[in-house]
């Protein structure tokens, strides 16, 4: 083969890898849909699933129109460098069926699936009382704006957090999970708890899920899709080593080892910390996979287990603390994604300081700077935009509709019909 044929063959291999990584990441969103449907009450099941489904429908065009452009235009913050992002504009020749470009579309697709994840993190926390329209507005802003800005700053090889501070967040514990969790926390402050979640004395009351096995199955789908999520974060080369998002050498073996060990550690940490609570145990597996995210490309598997174990404990304790403070996160999303996401960035600074990258080294101060940036970048827009929606009486459904259930009040249909009372086969006496 001549050089042009070799180049084309290499580009096609890269195209195939990222295309199928993106396809497998859809399992994450099938998982979120089932997970949240199981956690809600029967009267809200269909509305909860519709919110998850419509997340994908509204984030896709907005990410195409401006989300992808933000990623390339804002790595150094403001002012925007629009020249760097000309190829990411929706009318660019690269943003379509360009036969000479085997890269742009599949990269865009993988990042789009990351965007779905950010909005789905929020969707579970706010179930049973948020208006459909307001949720979709918030999902669009988070999925095609806020997290993309975080990724441009801290996840690109020319992002200012990486360039100036050596910030290392390979698996997006900060850029995806922490930003989304704290955006969600800002929304929760304005949205308020579900009716009946707290009694008159402010003591939290249990609102049990209607189908915990469905929730557990959903989380297993999320776990499966997470391997594709991490694989899509790697830079595939047909010659030479795999590269991290920061263009430093790595291997897929590091993902196979450390992601799995992190999951195992997180599940056991949450199991022990929650005294065997089934929901927190399986959620701890997700917390463990998030806890190792920032350093998954450099950790030893044993360290990955310990970091994940600590993350499972953190998620449980953070979730219980939030409840005691009067915050109603229906699925523990802020605790799992925010608690474990912050721990992910901090752990990278504690255990991998000195790791060489670019012209700097990873350091605890650099990780702390990134942590503060991710928390504020998430919380402030979530709080302020939901405050505006609340002032316009658009954020929360009415108490009457909440008590009736969102399936009937928003969709006009009962998603789950309660089983009829069995009729005795004995004859009347």
């Amino acid at each position: 083969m001549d050089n042009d044929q070799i180049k084309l063959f290499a580009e096609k291999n890269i195209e195939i890898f990222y295309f199928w990584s993106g396809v497998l990441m859809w399992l994450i969103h099938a998982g979120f849909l089932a997970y949240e449907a199981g956690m809600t009450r029967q009267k809200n099941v269909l509305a909860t699933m519709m919110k998850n489904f419509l997340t994908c429908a509204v984030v896709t065009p907005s990410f195409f129109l401006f989300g992808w452009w933000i990623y390339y235009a804002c790595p150094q913050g403001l002012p925007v460098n629009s020249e760097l992002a000309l190829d990411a504009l929706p009318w660019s020749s690269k943003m379509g069926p360009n036969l000479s470009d085997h890269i742009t579309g599949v990269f865009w697709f993988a990042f789009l699936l990351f965007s779905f994840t950010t909005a789905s993190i929020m969707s579970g926390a706010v179930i049973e009382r948020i208006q459909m329209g307001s949720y979709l507005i918030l999902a669009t802003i988070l999925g095609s704006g806020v997290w993309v800005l975080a990724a441009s700053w801290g996840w690109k090889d020319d992002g200012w957090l990486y360039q100036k501070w050596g910030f290392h967040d390979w698996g997006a514990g900060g850029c995806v999970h922490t930003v989304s969790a704290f955006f969600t926390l800002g929304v929760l402050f304005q949205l308020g708890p579900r009716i009946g979640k707290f009694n008159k004395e402010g003591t939290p009351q249990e609102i049990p899920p209607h189908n915990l096995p469905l929730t557990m199955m959903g989380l297993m789908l999320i776990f499966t899709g997470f391997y594709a999520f991490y694989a899509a974060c790697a830079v595939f080369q047909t010659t030479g080593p795999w590269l991290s998002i920061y263009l430093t050498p790595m291997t897929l073996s590091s993902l196979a080892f450390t992601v799995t060990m992190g999951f195992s550690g997180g599940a056991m940490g949450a199991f022990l910390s929650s005294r065997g609570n089934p929901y927190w145990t399986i959620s701890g597996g997700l917390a463990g996979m998030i806890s190792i995210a920032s350093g998954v490309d450099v950790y030893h598997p044993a360290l990955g287990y310990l970091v994940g174990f600590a993350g499972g404990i953190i998620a449980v304790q953070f979730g219980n603390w939030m409840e005691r403070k009067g915050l109603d996160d229906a699925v523990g999303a802020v605790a799992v994604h925010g608690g474990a996401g912050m721990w992910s960035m901090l752990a990278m600074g504690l255990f991998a300081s000195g790791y060489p990258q670019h012209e700097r080294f990873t350091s605890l101060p650099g990780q702390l700077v990134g942590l503060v940036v991710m928390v504020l970048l998430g919380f402030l827009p979530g709080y302020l935009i939901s405050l505006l929606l609340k002032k316009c009486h658009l954020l929360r459904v009415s108490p009457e509709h909440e008590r009736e259930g969102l399936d009937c009040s928003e969709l006009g249909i009962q998603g789950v019909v309660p089983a009829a009372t069995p009729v005795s086969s004995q004859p009347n006496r």
Side-chain angles (χ1 to χ4, degrees):
M1 292 191 296
D2 59 28
N3 288 337
D4 288 342
Q5 289 175 315
I6 292 172
K7 180 181 177 183
L8 180 61
F9 178 75
E11 289 179 347
K12 284 184 176 179
N13 280 325
I14 294 170
E15 185 176 33
I16 290 168
F17 175 81
Y18 288 108
F19 178 82
W20 287 111
S21 294
V23 169
L24 290 173
M25 273 195 282
W26 274 97
L27 291 174
I28 295 174
H29 308 290
F32 270 119
L33 190 147
Y35 160 62
E36 294 170 20
M39 284 300 294
T40 193
R41 288 169 285 186
Q42 286 188 352
K43 62 184 180 179
N44 298 306
V45 170
L46 191 59
T48 297
M49 298 178 90
M50 280 290 288
K51 286 182 175 70
N52 269 275
F53 180 77
L54 290 174
T55 296
C56 305
V58 299
V59 171
T60 297
S62 59
F63 189 75
F64 180 82
L65 291 172
F66 56 84
W68 191 231
W69 178 84
I70 291 172
Y71 181 69
Y72 283 97
C74 301
Q76 297 302 315
L78 298 174
V80 169
N81 189 335
S82 57
E83 291 185 10
L84 292 176
L86 290 176
D87 288 340
L89 290 168
W91 51 82
S92 165
S93 63
K94 288 182 175 291
M95 298 294 284
N98 186 333
L99 294 179
S100 66
D101 182 1
H102 294 268
I103 305 299
T104 302
V106 289
F107 274 1
W108 174 86
F109 180 47
F111 271 73
L112 174 65
L113 272 291
F114 298 152
S115 296
F116 291 171
T117 299
T118 62
S120 291
I121 289 168
M122 175 183 62
S123 65
V126 299
I127 57 174
E128 302 196 326
R129 73 269 204 206
I130 195 169
Q131 289 193 34
M132 176 81 78
S134 288
Y135 166 74
L136 294 177
I137 291 170
L138 291 164
T140 301
I141 292 168
L142 173 59
S144 294
V146 176
W147 100 268
V148 185
L149 193 59
S152 186
W153 291 354
W155 211 26
K156 260 181 128 277
D157 62 312
D158 59 344
W160 70 267
L161 278 172
Y162 173 64
Q163 292 274 343
K164 295 180 180 179
W165 290 94
F167 178 64
H168 192 96
D169 187 30
W170 188 89
C175 299
V176 168
H177 299 285
T178 300
V179 166
S180 302
F182 279 87
F183 186 98
T184 300
L185 182 61
V187 175
L188 289 176
F189 270 108
Q190 300 299 336
L191 186 63
R194 291 167 289 176
I195 295 173
K197 177 60 183 175
F198 297 95
N199 63 20
K200 293 180 180 179
E201 291 74 35
T203 304
Q205 307 298 302
E206 184 179 5
I207 299 180
H210 94 280
N211 192 335
L212 189 55
L214 179 61
T215 289
M216 297 180 77
M217 180 59 70
L219 276 163
M220 290 301 293
L221 289 171
I222 292 172
F223 297 153
T224 305
F226 249 63
Y227 285 93
F229 180 104
Y230 282 122
C233 296
V235 178
F236 175 22
Q237 298 188 112
T238 53
T239 59
W242 287 81
L243 299 176
S244 75
I245 200 84
Y246 305 111
L247 307 183
T248 53
M250 59 160 291
T251 68
L252 287 186
S253 288
S254 63
L255 308 186
F257 277 128
T258 309
V259 173
T260 311
M261 293 290 278
F263 154 79
S264 176
M268 287 307 301
F271 175 76
L272 295 174
S273 183
S274 69
R275 300 181 180 180
N277 180 285
Y279 174 73
W280 278 116
T281 298
I282 196 164
S283 295
L286 181 57
M289 295 176 100
I290 296 166
S291 296
I292 50 82
S294 293
V296 68
D297 57 324
V298 300
Y299 286 161
H300 187 276
L303 177 58
Y305 182 89
L306 295 175
V307 170
F309 187 91
I313 296 173
I314 289 168
V316 173
Q317 298 306 317
F318 193 4
N320 291 336
W321 177 83
M322 284 182 61
E323 268 205 345
R324 291 195 298 270
K325 295 299 180 182
L327 291 166
D328 180 17
D329 178 350
V331 301
V334 176
V336 171
H337 296 272
M342 288 191 295
W343 167 234
S344 172
M345 292 179 282
L346 179 60
M348 181 67 195
L350 291 173
F351 302 120
S353 286
Y355 181 74
Q357 51 183 25
H358 190 59
E359 297 175 356
R360 285 186 172 272
F361 296 88
T362 302
S363 66
L364 181 57
Q367 293 302 108
L368 290 173
V369 169
L371 190 156
V372 172
V373 169
M374 297 301 162
V375 167
L376 293 177
L377 181 60
F379 181 79
L380 292 175
Y383 184 89
L384 295 173
I385 296 165
S386 56
L387 173 61
L388 177 61
L389 291 168
K390 183 178 179 180
K391 293 291 186 182
C392 296
H393 305 288
L394 298 173
L395 184 61
R396 184 165 178 152
V397 300
S398 68
E400 294 75 23
H401 285 172
E402 184 176 347
R403 291 189 179 95
E404 179 186 11
L406 303 191
D407 285 3
C408 290
S409 64
E410 287 201 328
L411 303 178
I413 185 172
Q414 193 170 4
V416 177
V417 179
T421 303
V423 178
S424 174
S425 59
Q426 296 296 320
N428 294 328
R429 297 185 184 275

